[in-house]
RNA sequence: GCCGUCGUGGCGGAAUUGGUAUACGCGCAGCGUUCAGAACGCUGUGGCCGCAGGCCUUGCCGGUUCGAGUCCGGCCGACGGCACCA
């Protein structure tokens, strides 16, 4: 997945075609993966920057377009006046351009948008189908941010103008003592009275220059400005002043809020600051208080609300809503997806702009629309993509009327290619279809579970709300087209933890704490690195790197070699091992098979490796020379240390068939069954020692054994046993 | 501020349904091996008192229970996400 900003910036800096530098990087990564012995099916390798791949990314885009899910809108972007280019949020640090340090401005430009909000309900509603970490589901739920409320019109005094307001607390409407608009609200121009115009313009200008962080950062002090205009509260017909404040966001709700200071903490703060009236309309007991100490945000009983007095908040909300004949609406925090980038290194958007016919999609037969070669990747200075400068590419005939037209020069964001790549793995070289439906069903549909898809998806939490939401959106769209069988793309999700620097901080070049895998492999071997990474701790946890820990693993692997070398010694030792000792080591072997098998199935690699260490230590201690013990060890260790175990398999065990094709061992229950139980003795819940007894003792037998035990006897001698708790073969607790 | 996750030795971390806390590994100490070192092997290694033996210990306080790292309540702290959402 190689489209995107880092590859483009590298291209600009080193004056190299990103197609070439990307190719080099891919080769390097591939070499590293092979060096580590990762078992990928390289026949299915795909590359999102390959025209054969992005042909289908563009095809999906055209389908989205045909289904009305693509539209154009003016959207604010970060603009660096010195570099004369649009910046990604990532390139803006503390409101300054990350490259040149100039102050970043906000500019509106035409952008292509994807209507992800049309899928908001389904993206939310289908979350329970997924076997995902609860944390990620909650993050997506909050990100989508569904809320039910009411939309109301407030008439502007002495005009025909109306201001639409969204509220979740229509029950508090009698307490609305002012109205606040976002500084970007389009109505401001029309309603601001002459004497306030200057102040309003200054305020709007200041808000535009503020970064989102600045604007939303200081929650203690609110800024605002009066427009000079008044609105009419539709409930009590009272005149209320219209203000502007930058804590109101144009992107949420309607960009206008009714201020109810008595029952909302932000409104309370704003009203206090600008000395606006505060009217209590909800009370705990049906009585209004003489003076409110702070906002009452809880539900209660209505007061000062005309005919609705005495009603509870819930009932009042419905009745007031009916009385004002207002609309019930559902709002989402989720915003539509800005799907255009003013960059070179991305999939060209396959649309044509004709002065006569308007926007025209390019014919499907013309796909892929290839990214042309350019000489310079630098921004154009006009805010357009470098593609805009290639006249021969830009100027085309309109596919509808044949007249002169121009290509769209923006490219897609780097998320596009990663939204559907898992489908292409199934059928990577299909020239006619995105994926063959039979193949899709074979891999992703499971009759037992209604919703399946990718069986296991491992990725970092950083994808919680972007990639994982975008991909779900596209998948649902493809489901609607009948191209995929399941509603959801990724059935099970695991978030692997990040490997941190030795001081628990993120690895980064600037901190100089990056560990280069090539060097570790060179020094300690790929098997040691693999095992160490799995042994460090649970897959899901972030863990600090420790090179000394790798050394510990090389010691373990050396011990495995020792076990192998022992099998070449004469077999006398074996006869010296007693029957009981042999039974013990057999039992440990079977327990190890069981534990390693179960741990791998539960992704608990750290404890599986620990079990293998225990088994290896035992084989070494007993100097076991029987090859069957070694064979089990290398098979169990094979997924962790494929290179070394294969070598032992062939050189010490003289096998011809590859170890990885050898069936996985099964444990023998009979060998695990214990004949002697070690029973823990507790006195008043406190551990006092163990007794050994036959398996299956009943309570009396266990008690007798305990009473006869020297170590236990002294604790219970002359004591009155009040209660006995006995768990067979495990524990005996005496309450005295 | 809201939401979420998590607090176990010097460190990374173990611990089925509540049932012997500290497995495994690192580090450290002593001994062996060596002319010496590295490497390796053996032994020890939660804390306190101590001659045998005992007491305490899973962030802190309390609760439930015969029994709590695990369950419940309240604090404290760390990390992550969202952030004036009307």
């Amino acid at each position: 997945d190689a489209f995107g900003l880092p590859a483009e910036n590298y291209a600009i800096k080193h004056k190299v075609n990103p197609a070439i530098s990307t190719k080099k990087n891919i080769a390097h990564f591939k070499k590293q993966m092979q060096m580590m012995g990762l078992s990928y099916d390289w026949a299915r390798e795909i590359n999102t920057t390959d025209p054969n791949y992005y042909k289908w990314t563009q095809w999906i885009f055209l389908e989205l377009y045909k289904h009305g899910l693509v539209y154009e809108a003016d959207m604010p972007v970060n603009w660096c006046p010195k570099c004369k280019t649009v910046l990604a949020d990532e390139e803006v640090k503390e409101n300054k351009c990350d490259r040149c340090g100039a102050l970043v401005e906000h500019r509106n430009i035409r952008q292509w948008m994807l209507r992800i909000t049309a899928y908001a309900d389904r993206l939310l509603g289908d979350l329970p189908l997924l076997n995902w970490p609860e944390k990620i589901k909650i993050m997506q739920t909050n990100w989508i941010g569904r809320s039910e409320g009411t939309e109301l019109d407030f008439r502007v005094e002495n005009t025909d103008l109306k201001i639409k307001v969204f509220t979740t607390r229509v029950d508090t409407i009698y307490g609305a003592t002012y109205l606040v608009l976002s500084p970007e609200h389009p109505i401001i121009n029309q309603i601001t009275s002459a004497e306030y115009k200057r102040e309003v313009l200054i305020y709007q200008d200041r808000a535009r220059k503020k970064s989102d962080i600045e604007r939303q950062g200081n929650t203690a002090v609110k800024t605002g400005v009066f427009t000079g205009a008044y609105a009419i509260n539709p409930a009590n017909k009272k005149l209320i002043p219209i203000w502007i404040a930058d804590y109101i966001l144009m992107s949420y709700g309607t960009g206008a809020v009714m201020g109810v200071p008595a029952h909302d903490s932000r409104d309370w703060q704003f009203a206090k600051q600008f000395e606006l009236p505060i009217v209590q309309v909800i009370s705990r007991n049906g009585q209004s208080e003489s003076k409110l100490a702070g906002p009452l945000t809880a539900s209660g009983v209505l007061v000062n609300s005309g005919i609705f007095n005495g009603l509870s908040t819930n009932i009042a909300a419905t009745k007031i809503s009916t009385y004002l004949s207002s609309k019930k609406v559902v709002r989402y925090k989720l915003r539509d997806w800005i799907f255009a980038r003013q960059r070179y290194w991305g999939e060209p958007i396959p649309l044509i702009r004709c002065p006569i016919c308007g926007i025209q999609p390019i014919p499907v037969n013309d796909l892929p629309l290839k990214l042309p070669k350019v000489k310079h990747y630098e921004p154009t200075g006009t805010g357009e993509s470098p593609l805009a400068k290639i006249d021969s590419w830009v100027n085309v005939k309109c596919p509808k009327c044949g007249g002169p037209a121009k290509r769209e020069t923006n490219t897609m964001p780097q998320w596009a290619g990663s939204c559907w790549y898992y489908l292409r793995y199934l059928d990577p070289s299909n020239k006619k279809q995105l994926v063959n439906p039979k193949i899709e069903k074979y891999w992703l549909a499971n009759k037992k579970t209604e919703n399946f898809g990718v069986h296991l998806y491992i990725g970092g939490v950083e994808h919680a709300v972007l990639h994982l939401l975008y991909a779900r959106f596209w998948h649902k769209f493809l489901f609607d087209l009948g191209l995929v069988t399941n509603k959801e793309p990724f059935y099970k999700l695991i978030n692997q933890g990040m490997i941190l620097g030795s001081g628990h901080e993120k690895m980064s070049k600037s901190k100089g704490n990056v560990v280069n895998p090539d060097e570790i492999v060179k020094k300690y071997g790929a098997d040691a690195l693999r095992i160490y990474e799995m042994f460090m701790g649970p897959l899901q946890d972030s863990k600090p790197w420790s090179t000394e820990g790798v050394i510990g693993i090389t010691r373990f692997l050396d011990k495995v070699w020792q076990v192998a070398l022992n099998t070449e010694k004469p077999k006398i030792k074996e006869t010296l091992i007693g029957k009981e000792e042999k039974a013990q080591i057999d039992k440990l072997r079977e327990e190890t098979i069981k534990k390693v098998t179960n741990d791998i199935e539960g992704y608990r690699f750290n404890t599986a490796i620990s079990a293998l260490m225990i088994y290896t230590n035992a084989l070494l201690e007993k100097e076991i020379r029987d090859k069957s013990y070694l064979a089990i060890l290398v098979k169990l260790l094979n997924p962790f240390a494929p290179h070394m175990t294969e070598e032992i398999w062939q050189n010490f065990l003289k096998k011809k068939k590859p170890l990885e094709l050898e069936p996985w061992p099964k444990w023998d229950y009979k060998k695990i069954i214990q004949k002697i139980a070690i029973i823990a003795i507790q006195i008043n819940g406190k551990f006092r020692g163990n007794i050994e007894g036959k398996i299956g003792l009943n309570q009396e037998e266990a008690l007798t054994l305990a009473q006869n035990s020297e170590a236990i006897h002294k604790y219970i001698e002359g004591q009155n046993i009040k209660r006995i708790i006995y768990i067979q073969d495990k524990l005996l607790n005496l309450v005295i």
Side-chain angles (χ1 to χ4, degrees), chain A residues 96-103:
Chain A
K96 284 176 188 156
C97 173
D98 203 23
R99 292 184 227 173
C100 71
L103 214 60

Side-chain angles (χ1 to χ4, degrees), chain A residues 687-703:
Chain A
F687 174 69
R688 290 304 183 186
N690 290 317
I691 54 166
E692 284 188 15
K694 273 191 192 163
I695 284 288
L697 291 183
N698 65 29
Q699 187 173 303
E700 281 94 280
E701 289 167 330
L703 181 62

Side-chain angles (χ1 to χ4, degrees), chain A residues 268 272 278 280 288-294 296:
Chain A
W268 172 273
K272 281 273 170 192
I278 298 170
Q280 185 185 2
S288 62
E289 286 157 49
S290 54
K291 202 182 177 201
L292 283 175
L296 296 172

Side-chain angles (χ1 to χ4, degrees), chain A residues 65 81 128 182 194 236 253 272 281 292 295 311 321 333 384 402 426 490 499 504 575 618 629 702 708:
Chain A
Y65 182 83
S182 158
N236 56 19
K272 281 273 170 192
V281 291
L292 283 175
L311 295 175
S321 203
K333 271 204 265 183
E384 286 178 299
L426 311 177
F490 315 118
I499 306 297
H504 290 84
T575 53
Y629 295 88
N708 294 338

